[in-house]
Amino acid sequence: MNNYLEIFVLIMGFLIVAVAANRISRYFPKVKLPIITGLLFIGILSGPFILNFVPLKAITQLHFINEICLAFIAFAAGAELYLKELKGRMKSIKWMTFSQLFFTFGLSVFAIFFLSRRLPFMAQLEWQVKLAIALLVGTIFITRSPASAIAVINEMRAKGPYTQTAIGVTVIKDVLVIILFTICFAISGALISKVPFDIWLVVILIGELCLSILIGFLLGQTINWLLARGIPTMQKAILLVVMGYGIYLLAHFVGAESQNLLGFELYIEPLLICIIGSFVVVNFGSYRREFIKIIELVVPTIYIIFYTLTGASVSLDILAQTWAVALLFFAIRLISMAIGAFIGGTLGGDPFRINRFSWMPYVTQAGVAIGLVSVVAVKYPDWGPQFGAILIGVIVLNEICGPPLFKWFILMVGESHKKKELLHENKIQKAIIFGLEGQSLALARQLMEHGWVVKLVTRNEERAKLEYHGVDVTHVKELSLIELKRLEVDKADAIVLLNQDEENLKFCELAYEHFGTRDVVVRVNERSYVSKFHELGALIVEPSTVMVSLMDHLVRSPIATSLLLGMEKDQDTVDIEMQNKELHGITLRDLQIPTDVIILATKRNNNTLISTGYTRLRLGDVLTVVGSVESLEKVRLKMEDTDLPSYNKARFKGKSISFKRKSIKTDLDLPG
């Protein structure tokens, strides 16, 4: 009873430290460091070697928390391996993955085994143990961090073939490295225990690997069954965490019982099982979006707990003695990775100017690497603490250097879409409003708040000379074709007509015949003109009915109408044009988008389709999407054309991507 009380006290004390670490780590991005680095730093500071908020005995007794977190990190890594979105760059992904696995692993193992006589913690060990350590270090050197990579991509709003290759290689490699670790871990065990290497060892190794894959498949089916139950999402999230930890308990049970029954330890890899289970859910299940929603809900808390506890577990006394070895390992990893990435990019057909820097996206390490280090450190207590301290030091260096290098690479290949780059003239959405009045000025200002460039046109010369608080007002003598070309109407993304019906109709005909502007919005005063504007494809706002229709919808569907009006906080409705060739033909149900986004309709060849999960995307489709502002930006980025200028381009060129904001509130301003 006293033991359970002690564990409870240690858990509560650690959770207080984790909450503080979460708050303090938010300041690290201000000095260009990732939040994960902040969590590790606060964990180290709170650990037994500095402030002792997390005492040394707590590290061992809280090891089960580490396993809970690792299982869920594996779920998150497997969820990123969504095959339907990786097919477009499979050649580059294939060669880059294979090359990095082969060369990074092979060169690292060779270098560490060759230098083992000069490394303090390995010098006195037998050659079998040295080879085992080299194999394990080489495996850990291959690991990457999908979470860190995705964080950089989101921050840079990166989109393009090289970004897609980087995330594809990162996720696939983390899956393959678990398989490789399973093999090397078993071989290392045989080397250290001096078990003769015969055919039965190979059979056992293959059997362990197949058993892990089978259990992973069954885990995926179990998760699908759980997601199909009609229980609240939070309860499903808790059960998913319990299932992940249950895999670790199963692995311990199988290892202990196999030793008693078979005379040898049968090792099944929990990380591999969890990754395969997650892979099955996202690729072969019907509840992918709900599963990803749970991942997004739980993973931030998991990261806070895991990285803080990992930082507290770093043996600073050992690291202080072996920092030179950590720097050497860091250099070996970078050199071997650069060689592997260059060869992989060359085989994949990427240009030389890109291949010189193609190693930069793969430096960062985090969750999976730390998890593998902890497994080895716990398994071999003789040299495990030195091994763990050195490798954690290498991982921290990679975590500090990796994100800036990845950002630099994204900028070099021209795949960053941060705001300052979107301000290029070909990326700005332009609108021209005909008619100077209070409502047109209000509409102009609202569009300008959303990043549009708005030009307001009037035929009243005296009123055009007045100042209108930042709104550009232009005078024209008449609505002729020459005047309209001078106004560059042909370059406008949207045109709004607020004049008399006769003038609006004349302009509509000119726009229809000469400019082909897709979105022409007309305020109609007399119903007799409605059919004429419809024939010309204009979007019509009728003042006499719009207010009644709006109130009717607010009464009958208040939530839906509030979303469309933009009245809900941080919610918006937008039209997004699909120009990503790699998504052509994919169904909406297979599209990997944020869970809070809903695709309401699809416009194709001027025909509106009610979207279902089986609607297939086509180039040029315009999707009407509702969701949070942040999520809508992610969807827009996914739909963009990936054929961007690839190296050292100061500006993006080509046709801009339509991203038109809808707001019924704008229409309400028009009638008066």
Side-chain angles (χ1 to χ4, degrees), residues 124-172:
Q124 304 301 321
L125 300 176
E126 298 180 351
W127 73 267
Q128 295 97 331
V129 182
K130 292 178 180 178
L131 179 58
I133 293 174
L135 289 171
L136 294 171
V137 172
T139 306
I140 293 169
F141 277 4
I142 302 172
T143 59
R144 268 282 285 140
S145 171
S148 299
I150 294 168
V152 172
I153 290 171
N154 289 339
E155 179 183 344
M156 301 297 290
R157 301 185 67 253
K159 182 69 176 181
Y162 299 110
T163 300
Q164 190 175 28
T165 298
I167 190 62
V169 172
T170 296
V171 175
I172 293 176

Side-chain angles (χ1 to χ4, degrees), residues 56-362:
L56 189 59
K57 64 178 181 180
I59 305 301
T60 303
Q61 296 189 2
L62 297 181
H63 182 68
F64 72 95
I65 294 180
N66 192 57
E67 294 181 339
I68 293 173
C69 296
L70 281 173
F72 215 87
I73 289 173
F75 284 149
E80 296 296 332
L81 191 60
Y82 188 48
L83 298 179
K84 293 183 179 179
E85 291 192 358
L86 299 176
K87 60 181 181 181
R89 290 284 294 174
M90 281 310 297
K91 180 181 178 182
S92 295
I93 291 173
K94 174 185 67 178
W95 284 114
M96 184 65 76
T97 302
F98 170 77
S99 183
Q100 287 200 40
L101 280 171
F102 182 80
F103 288 100
T104 304
F105 177 74
L107 293 175
S108 299
V109 171
F110 174 79
I112 292 169
F113 185 72
F114 179 76
L115 296 171
S116 60
R117 289 178 296 176
R118 301 179 181 274
L119 301 178
F121 85 102
M122 295 178 64
Q124 304 301 321
L125 300 176
E126 298 180 351
W127 73 267
Q128 295 97 331
V129 182
K130 292 178 180 178
L131 179 58
I133 293 174
L135 289 171
L136 294 171
V137 172
T139 306
I140 293 169
F141 277 4
I142 302 172
T143 59
R144 268 282 285 140
S145 171
S148 299
I150 294 168
V152 172
I153 290 171
N154 289 339
E155 179 183 344
M156 301 297 290
R157 301 185 67 253
K159 182 69 176 181
Y162 299 110
T163 300
Q164 190 175 28
T165 298
I167 190 62
V169 172
T170 296
V171 175
I172 293 176
K173 196 165 65 172
D174 259 15
V175 176
L176 296 179
V177 79
I178 300 299
I179 299 176
L180 181 62
F181 178 79
T182 305
I183 297 172
C184 290
F185 195 68
I187 294 175
S188 299
L191 288 171
I192 293 171
S193 59
K194 298 181 180 180
V195 175
F197 193 86
D198 56 18
I199 188 63
W200 284 110
L201 181 61
V202 177
V203 171
I204 292 171
L205 182 59
I206 295 175
E208 290 175 341
L209 193 59
C210 293
L211 181 59
S212 297
I213 294 173
L214 175 61
I215 297 174
F217 176 79
L218 295 176
L219 175 64
Q221 297 298 331
T222 304
I223 294 174
N224 279 326
W225 176 85
L226 171 65
L227 296 174
R229 302 305 97 193
I231 57 179
T233 301
M234 185 56 68
Q235 293 183 20
K236 291 180 180 178
I238 294 172
L239 291 174
L240 198 59
V241 171
V242 172
M243 289 172 64
Y245 181 55
I247 295 299
Y248 270 88
L249 295 178
L250 176 64
H252 295 321
F253 175 79
V254 170
E257 290 301 314
S258 61
Q259 185 70 46
N260 295 331
L261 297 176
L262 304 176
F264 61 89
E265 183 178 354
L266 191 63
Y267 177 74
I268 58 174
E269 176 50 61
L271 286 173
L272 177 61
I273 293 172
C274 292
I275 286 180
I276 290 176
S278 178
F279 171 81
V280 169
V281 174
V282 297
N283 287 281
F284 307 108
S286 302
Y287 303 94
R288 171 175 53 88
R289 295 196 67 184
E290 186 176 8
F291 181 68
I292 293 173
K293 181 179 180 180
I294 293 174
I295 295 291
E296 294 172 349
L297 178 68
V298 178
V299 153
T301 303
I302 291 292
Y303 281 163
I304 293 168
I305 295 173
F306 177 73
Y307 289 117
T308 304
L309 182 58
T310 299
S313 305
V314 175
S315 301
L316 291 184
D317 54 342
I318 298 175
L319 185 59
Q321 301 171 9
T322 57
W323 63 269
V325 179
L327 287 176
L328 177 63
F329 279 19
F330 176 70
I332 291 173
R333 181 175 185 265
L334 287 187
I335 294 171
S336 61
M337 183 180 298
I339 295 172
F342 180 82
I343 295 174
T346 302
L347 294 174
D350 293 334
F352 173 77
R353 62 178 182 270
I354 302 296
N355 288 336
R356 291 182 300 169
F357 309 103
S358 58
W359 56 274
M360 291 182 177
Y362 308 107

Side-chain angles (χ1 to χ4, degrees), residues 523-542:
R523 183 179 66 190
V524 178
N525 298 300
E526 297 183 14
R527 292 189 60 84
S528 59
Y529 282 87
V530 171
S531 60
K532 298 177 182 179
F533 285 118
H534 268 308
E535 292 175 0
L536 298 173
L539 303 173
I540 298 172
V541 177
E542 192 174 358

Side-chain angles (χ1 to χ4, degrees), residues 381-669:
D382 295 336
W383 47 265
Q386 295 94 329
F387 176 93
I390 293 171
L391 269 296
I392 291 295
V394 174
I395 292 169
V396 170
L397 288 173
N398 290 325
E399 187 63 35
I400 293 173
C401 299
L405 288 171
F406 193 8
K407 292 178 183 179
W408 189 22
F409 177 81
I410 290 171
L411 291 171
M412 282 194 302
V413 299
E415 294 184 352
S416 173
H417 291 62
K418 295 183 77 173
K419 185 176 182 180
K420 62 180 180 181
E421 292 167 355
L422 288 175
L423 293 180
H424 183 264
E425 60 182 1
N426 286 332
K427 287 287 184 178
I428 294 176
Q429 299 296 300
K430 299 179 181 179
I432 299 179
I433 303 174
F434 289 87
L436 178 57
E437 58 184 68
Q439 293 172 2
S440 61
L441 287 169
L443 173 59
R445 293 190 181 101
Q446 186 165 327
L447 289 172
M448 290 166 65
E449 288 178 0
H450 288 302
W452 286 62
V453 169
V454 181
K455 183 181 295 183
L456 206 153
V457 180
T458 179
R459 291 194 296 169
N460 189 318
E461 186 174 3
E462 293 182 0
R463 296 184 65 190
K465 294 178 181 179
L466 301 176
E467 292 292 333
Y468 294 97
H469 302 290
V471 179
D472 179 18
V473 178
T474 303
H475 170 255
V476 295
K477 295 181 180 180
E478 58 181 357
L479 292 179
S480 63
L481 184 60
I482 296 176
E483 287 288 335
L484 295 179
K485 288 183 177 180
R486 182 179 67 82
L487 293 171
E488 296 184 330
V489 174
D490 56 321
K491 297 181 180 180
D493 296 282
I495 299 168
V496 181
L497 305 176
L498 303 178
N499 291 321
Q500 297 300 315
D501 292 337
E502 296 85 353
E503 295 179 359
N504 290 343
L505 183 60
K506 177 182 178 181
F507 177 86
C508 251
E509 291 173 345
L510 290 172
Y512 182 83
E513 295 174 5
H514 299 282
F515 305 129
T517 305
R518 187 175 64 189
D519 291 342
V520 178
V521 181
V522 183
R523 183 179 66 190
V524 178
N525 298 300
E526 297 183 14
R527 292 189 60 84
S528 59
Y529 282 87
V530 171
S531 60
K532 298 177 182 179
F533 285 118
H534 268 308
E535 292 175 0
L536 298 173
L539 303 173
I540 298 172
V541 177
E542 192 174 358
S544 61
T545 60
V546 67
M547 185 60 71
V548 175
S549 297
L550 173 61
M551 290 184 174
D552 172 52
H553 282 84
L554 278 171
V555 171
R556 293 189 293 113
S557 304
I559 297 176
T561 309
S562 297
L563 286 172
L564 293 173
L565 285 171
M567 294 168 61
E568 294 292 327
K569 185 179 180 181
D570 298 326
Q571 295 286 321
D572 204 352
T573 306
V574 299
D575 281 356
I576 305 177
E577 183 175 342
M578 211 293 283
Q579 293 192 348
N580 188 344
K581 297 177 182 178
E582 295 175 1
L583 296 180
H584 179 78
I586 192 172
T587 60
L588 294 181
R589 68 198 301 268
D590 293 329
L591 195 63
Q592 193 86 324
I593 58 176
T595 54
D596 62 339
V597 169
I598 300 174
I599 299 176
L600 299 177
T602 304
K603 189 173 183 179
R604 182 179 302 161
N605 298 326
N606 293 322
N607 296 316
T608 300
L609 309 175
I610 302 301
S611 300
T612 69
Y614 296 95
T615 302
R616 291 190 179 275
L617 287 175
R618 296 287 183 267
L619 289 174
D621 284 355
V622 179
L623 308 178
T624 300
V625 187
V626 62
S628 67
V629 175
E630 180 182 358
S631 295
L632 293 177
E633 286 292 314
K634 293 180 182 179
V635 175
R636 184 196 70 80
L637 189 59
K638 181 181 287 289
M639 295 296 173
E640 284 183 343
D641 189 358
T642 58
D643 294 334
L644 301 170
S646 60
Y647 182 75
N648 200 22
K649 301 283 180 143
R651 292 181 174 180
F652 291 102
K653 296 182 179 180
K655 187 177 179 181
S656 66
I657 297 168
S658 178
F659 183 53
K660 301 185 175 2
R661 296 182 179 269
K662 287 182 146 187
S663 178
I664 300 179
K665 185 177 181 181
T666 298
D667 298 339
L668 292 180
D669 288 337

